[in-house]
Amino acid sequence: MVFIDLTTLRCPLALVKVKLALKQLRGNDVLCVALSDTGSRQDVPRYLKKTGYQFSEIRNDKEMLKLEITK
C-alpha cells in the first residue's frame, strides 16, 4: 500500500498528485490518499469514477477524506 498525505495541498494540485501516483500503481497495488481541501474532496472521487478506478472511503469527516484506490 502506498500512502500519500495531500491534506496540505489545494485543488488542482492534489488532483494532479493523485493522477501521477495512479500511473505508478502496479497490479494489485493500493493507493491511499488523504485530502482536506473542499475542492479536492469533490474532484478526486469524481475523477476516479470517471476513469473507472475502484475506491472506498476509509474516513470522511469535517477534517479529512481518506480513500483507498485500486485499479
Side-chain angles (χ1 to χ4, degrees):
M1 178 183 297
V2 178
F3 176 74
I4 303 175
D5 182 356
L6 301 174
T7 56
T8 61
L9 302 179
R10 298 184 60 139
C11 211
L13 188 55
L15 179 57
V16 170
K17 295 278 189 179
V18 169
K19 288 179 180 181
L20 291 172
L22 289 172
K23 288 183 180 182
Q24 303 298 317
L25 285 185
R26 304 278 185 245
N28 292 335
D29 286 350
V30 176
L31 175 64
C32 185
V33 296
L35 306 160
S36 62
D37 175 60
T38 304
S40 300
R41 292 173 68 143
Q42 295 173 2
D43 291 347
V44 170
R46 189 177 302 136
Y47 170 78
L48 295 171
K49 287 178 186 174
K50 180 180 175 183
T51 55
Y53 284 94
Q54 302 289 327
F55 68 95
S56 58
E57 291 183 1
I58 303 306
R59 177 178 170 186
N60 189 358
D61 56 34
K62 67 178 183 163
E63 296 173 12
M64 178 188 308
L65 171 62
K66 189 183 267 188
L67 302 172
E68 278 190 1
I69 307 162
T70 56
K71 279 193 166 187

